[in-house]
Amino acid sequence: MKSQELRQAWIDFFVAKQHKLMPSASLIPDALSTTLFTIAGMEQFVPVFLGDEPAPAPRAVTVQRCLRVAGAKSDIENVGRTGRHGTFFQMLGNFSFGDYYKREAIGFAWEFVTRRLKLDPARLWITVFQDDDEAARIWAQDIGVDPARITRMGAEDNFWAMGDTGPCGPCAEIFYDTGPEHALGPDDTGPNFGNRYVEIWNLV
């Protein structure tokens, strides 16, 4: 699947789930932003999350241009060190403004990667924030992921924030196991231990 096909599959999937397609915001944020460049798909919706503006729709989907070269979400120090970090990229995002929450968001993610992309569920691993019992329960009981493939992580890995203040929250991530042949060594046995397990989704 080519990148443009993946983006279109993403858009089509969420539009079919009653999400309004919103255009990518400017790479250079407006005057009220605290970031040098737009760093995440949710950035254009910060005024909505803060209650300063009405939501554009109950649900939204975007393909957002992002640039991370400074601040808390900078990737510049890792560019060239790994094969998965870049300063400029497009972030695919689906958003709910009080319309649905963790159970539905997790369900949408699992449906897209296993049914639309047809990834093998046995090769998918999950991380959740260490205190997020609700997310861990949804993954195990509602989705049916083997608890042995659900890992609780600390705030450094599974608590998303743009900065010291502003919208933030615990997150769950989906990782794809590329196989033991891609492990960096004997300790590369799970998400965030090396290169074998690649993060493909972050649910905040």
Side-chain angles (χ1 to χ4, degrees):
M1 180 179 280
K2 296 180 180 179
S3 60
Q4 58 265 37
E5 295 172 327
L6 178 59
R7 287 194 296 270
Q8 193 59 52
W10 168 272
I11 292 170
D12 293 343
F13 177 84
F14 281 102
V15 167
K17 300 290 186 184
Q18 291 77 52
H19 289 65
K20 180 180 180 180
L21 176 60
M22 300 291 295
S24 175
S26 170
L27 196 61
I28 301 175
D30 62 38
L32 298 179
S33 177
T34 58
T35 61
L36 180 63
F37 297 104
T38 297
I39 63 170
M42 58 79 66
E43 190 166 342
Q44 68 169 300
F45 301 121
V46 167
V48 178
F49 293 130
L50 294 177
D52 296 332
E53 293 183 5
R59 305 177 178 190
V61 59
T62 64
V63 177
Q64 174 64 48
R65 297 182 298 273
C66 299
L67 186 62
R68 292 181 172 180
V69 294
K73 291 298 174 182
S74 173
D75 285 329
I76 198 167
E77 295 299 326
N78 290 313
V79 173
R81 296 182 181 180
T82 76
R84 63 186 72 163
H85 286 88
T87 55
F88 176 76
F89 57 93
Q90 290 182 306
M91 180 179 289
L92 310 182
N94 62 292
F95 303 89
S96 167
F97 303 104
D99 188 56
Y100 63 85
Y101 197 47
K102 291 182 184 180
R103 180 171 284 102
E104 295 85 352
I106 289 172
F108 289 154
W110 192 254
E111 180 182 349
F112 184 77
V113 297
T114 60
R115 297 184 186 177
R116 180 61 185 85
L117 300 186
K118 302 187 184 304
L119 298 183
D120 182 359
R123 301 187 74 164
L124 299 176
W125 291 60
I126 308 300
T127 64
V128 298
F129 182 56
Q130 58 191 6
D131 298 329
D132 196 346
D133 297 331
E134 180 185 10
R137 184 171 57 253
I138 292 170
W139 282 111
Q141 297 181 7
D142 295 4
I143 303 301
V145 175
D146 184 346
R149 289 190 284 113
I150 302 173
T151 306
R152 292 177 183 254
M153 308 292 289
E156 182 177 350
D157 293 302
N158 281 79
F159 194 92
W160 198 93
M162 287 181 61
D164 294 335
T165 62
C168 62
C171 61
E173 298 174 326
I174 304 175
F175 287 78
Y176 182 78
D177 181 2
T178 63
E181 66 273 20
H182 296 288
L184 292 180
D187 296 329
D188 194 351
T189 57
N192 294 316
F193 283 100
N195 282 338
R196 174 177 171 176
Y197 299 82
V198 178
E199 178 192 337
I200 62 173
W201 202 302
N202 188 348
L203 297 113
V204 181

